[in-house]
Each structure stands twice: as C-alpha cells, then as structure tokens.
Amino acid sequence: MVSSGIKIGKEQVNILAYADDIALIGKNEIEIIKLFVEIENIVRKFGLQINQEKTKYVIVERKNNLKKNKIGHLKIKNYKFERVENFKYLGVILNEDNYNQIDLQDRIKNANKTYFMLQNFFKNKNISKELK
C-alpha cells in the first residue's frame, strides 16, 4: 500500500471508498499512479472495470505548487484521466488547494434555498404549530 494521503486521527488514509465511489488521495501524480495500479489490480480480480469517462483526478495539497505545472491528462496503462481542480465526493467538495470555502458556500446556498422554499409553509396559519 502506498504511504501517502491524509491523516485522520492516528491513521494515514489514501483511499476513500463507499459503494462504487472511490477517491484516491495523493500529493502528486506518482502517488496517484501507484494507488491506481493497486486499485485496478484489485477490481480486475473481481471482474470489475474502471470507467475511464467518469474517472477524474485532482492533486490535493495545501500549498499547491503544481498549478504552474498543470498536466491536463494522466495516462496509466491503457487509461487516460482528466485532471480537475475540484470534485464532489459523497456531498463534500474537495479541491486541489484543500480549501473548503467552496464547500461551505455551497452548503449555505443549499440551506438558504431550502429555507426559502419552506417559508410559505412556516407562514401558513392553517397548519398547526405542532406540525411545523
């Protein structure tokens, strides 16, 4: 297993997986390649395939020096993956600067939408307070 990724508590994590959503976490293209090869070998054993069209990658680093050296695509074996600046994983926006302000703004926007959609419900005098 590649020893990169992020530290959660005392554990070093470089692969997040939930059902068919998998995030590989690396500080550079070399780490992503090593992780991908490991994952690809595992999924092949189970007769599964990686969907190249749905698979993107992002290099996450607090001080992202790779912006100057941005590679548009990453080739691994017979696959070609597009590099993106951010992506949504299980409802959380992750980006290459590890800057969570975008995610926070998105959550506030969604909360405001919900609040304003329910405003008529809360103002309706025909609906009891217990139900509200």
Side-chain angles (χ1 to χ4, degrees):
M1 186 63 83
V2 178
S3 62
S4 64
I6 58 173
K7 195 165 191 167
I8 299 177
K10 294 181 181 181
E11 298 295 320
Q12 195 74 14
V13 178
N14 55 12
I15 298 174
L16 299 173
Y18 182 81
D20 65 344
D21 288 325
I22 299 173
L24 305 178
I25 302 167
K27 294 178 184 169
N28 55 44
E29 279 88 357
I30 294 166
E31 288 182 2
I32 297 293
I33 291 168
K34 288 178 182 176
L35 288 168
F36 175 81
V37 169
E38 284 184 39
I39 289 291
E40 203 259 341
N41 289 334
I42 292 167
V43 300
R44 199 170 352 113
K45 287 179 186 176
F46 291 98
L48 302 172
Q49 294 179 348
I50 294 173
N51 186 332
Q52 179 175 290
E53 299 304 315
K54 290 185 177 181
T55 305
K56 312 279 187 244
Y57 80 101
V58 62
I59 303 296
V60 177
E61 196 174 20
R62 285 199 189 274
K63 294 177 184 169
N64 195 337
N65 299 325
L66 298 171
K67 282 191 175 183
K68 302 171 199 155
N69 233 359
K70 248 187 195 180
I71 300 169
H73 291 84
L74 182 64
K75 289 188 86 167
I76 308 171
K77 294 187 175 187
N78 295 328
Y79 297 94
K80 187 175 178 182
F81 303 113
E82 178 188 354
R83 182 172 179 172
V84 294
E85 292 181 6
N86 61 60
F87 71 96
K88 199 171 214 175
Y89 180 76
L90 300 179
V92 176
I93 297 172
L94 303 172
N95 62 32
E96 58 188 5
D97 294 328
N98 205 10
Y99 179 70
N100 64 356
Q101 194 65 29
I102 296 168
D103 185 48
L104 184 60
Q105 289 169 350
D106 192 47
R107 288 172 185 255
I108 290 170
K109 183 178 81 176
N110 288 333
N112 283 335
K113 266 196 235 176
T114 303
Y115 171 76
F116 287 110
M117 282 180 9
L118 292 171
Q119 216 170 18
N120 289 335
F121 173 78
F122 291 127
K123 290 180 180 179
N124 190 331
K125 296 187 190 250
N126 294 326
I127 300 173
S128 68
K129 286 183 183 180
E130 291 81 25
L131 185 58
K132 292 179 190 178

